[in-house]
Amino acid sequence: MNIKTITTAAVLLLAAVGCKENDIAFYNEAPRLEYVTVATCTFDDQDYLNAYIADEKSPEKECKVTAQLIGRLLTEPLTFCMQGAPSKTTPYEVKARFENPYTFPVSAAQYEATVWVTCPTKEQSSTQQTSTSGIMEITSETSNPAHQFGPGRNENLVCSLNVTLQLYPGSWDTAWWGSYSRSKYVFMMETFKTTIDHIEKTQANQIKLKQAYAAYSTANGPLYGDDDMSNVEIYFPLQ
């Protein structure tokens, strides 16, 4: 074995020992907290009805953000706090409520924290052609005295909470109700106080919609379709 080979082997050995020692030091530090970097919260037509149309309104929905421990498992519960801010790329602002402080349990590597998210409005909902999500960036609220963790790895300090309202129901019947649009479907939910699955396909209901829309458009102006139909007024067929 020549001198060059011996020297190279020695350098690699020292590097490996150094990495091992750093890992040991890292995992013996005080507990650190980071997040699974993406969480989703999807609202549907029933959620929208509950939030904006029902007599007893429930505007918020329970969503989960996963916090994960870096270091040794806890031997006693510790608390942590979260905060949210709009992403620079979000098309609309997400509204969320945090239940600070949260308690991270012992002997667990991850914990699903509950965040209460407000249902987006009909203007913020997706269309059949375009999916739209509001984005909130969730981080640890380290300034809160109840936050008892150090920060985790830089790349995992932010969880992007993606919030979507998808009103379009799979049971929509174009032959019976005409072309779908967000404004039309919301008008139908407001008229009948329920979702499409509970609106009977009867001529009486078609007539009720036509009469209700005629009164609405006279008082408030017309409603329009989505995407490439955004300049076309909605209509309700009659069979």
Side-chain angles (χ1 to χ4, degrees):
M1 183 180 294
N2 58 38
I3 295 177
K4 182 177 180 181
T5 302
I6 294 173
T7 302
T8 301
V11 169
L12 292 174
L13 179 60
L14 289 172
V17 171
C19 288
K20 187 175 181 181
E21 288 177 349
N22 286 339
D23 287 345
I24 292 173
F26 180 77
Y27 283 102
N28 277 286
E29 291 178 353
R32 294 173 176 268
L33 197 69
E34 61 183 28
Y35 299 96
V36 172
T37 56
V38 176
T40 60
C41 187
T42 303
F43 292 80
D44 59 18
D45 55 346
Q46 184 63 54
D47 296 319
Y48 183 88
L49 183 85
N50 294 341
Y52 297 108
I53 300 173
D55 292 335
E56 295 185 10
K57 295 177 175 57
S58 302
E60 295 179 323
K61 183 175 183 177
E62 179 180 325
C63 299
K64 299 293 185 181
V65 172
T66 302
Q68 54 191 19
L69 188 66
I70 294 293
R72 294 172 295 178
L73 297 180
L74 302 181
T75 57
E76 60 180 3
L78 294 179
T79 57
F80 67 99
C81 302
M82 298 190 298
Q83 61 187 354
S87 166
K88 292 180 180 179
T89 60
T90 187
Y92 62 86
E93 185 175 349
V94 171
K95 297 179 180 178
R97 178 171 57 87
F98 300 94
E99 296 183 326
N100 291 325
Y102 298 87
T103 301
F104 204 104
V106 298
S107 302
Q110 291 186 330
Y111 175 73
E112 287 193 334
T114 298
V115 177
W116 293 95
V117 180
T118 299
C119 182
T121 65
K122 60 184 178 183
E123 293 80 13
Q124 298 166 339
S125 68
S126 297
T127 68
Q128 282 185 277
Q129 297 181 16
T130 305
S131 180
T132 303
S133 294
I135 307 171
M136 170 178 278
E137 293 186 345
I138 295 176
T139 58
S140 293
E141 189 181 18
T142 55
S143 61
N144 192 317
H147 188 80
Q148 297 179 299
F149 291 86
R153 294 166 291 186
N154 287 336
E155 63 270 25
N156 294 333
L157 296 181
V158 178
C159 173
S160 293
L161 176 62
N162 299 316
V163 178
T164 303
L165 170 60
Q166 180 54 265
L167 289 173
Y168 181 72
S171 57
W172 184 269
D173 189 336
T174 302
W176 195 264
W177 305 117
S179 299
Y180 169 84
S181 72
R182 295 172 298 177
S183 60
K184 174 187 280 189
Y185 187 30
V186 169
F187 183 81
M188 290 173 66
M189 285 193 286
E190 290 174 341
T191 300
F192 290 100
K193 302 292 184 181
T194 190
T195 61
I196 193 74
D197 292 332
H198 303 287
I199 301 174
E200 291 187 65
K201 295 178 183 178
T202 64
Q203 191 177 76
N205 280 343
Q206 287 183 322
I207 293 172
K208 181 176 180 178
L209 284 169
K210 290 182 75 69
Q211 292 175 339
Y213 179 65
Y216 174 90
S217 59
T218 299
N220 303 284
L223 297 173
Y224 295 96
D226 300 325
D227 301 313
D228 55 354
M229 302 289 286
S230 60
N231 293 321
V232 178
E233 184 178 359
I234 68 168
Y235 76 97
F236 292 99
L238 181 60
Q239 295 184 357

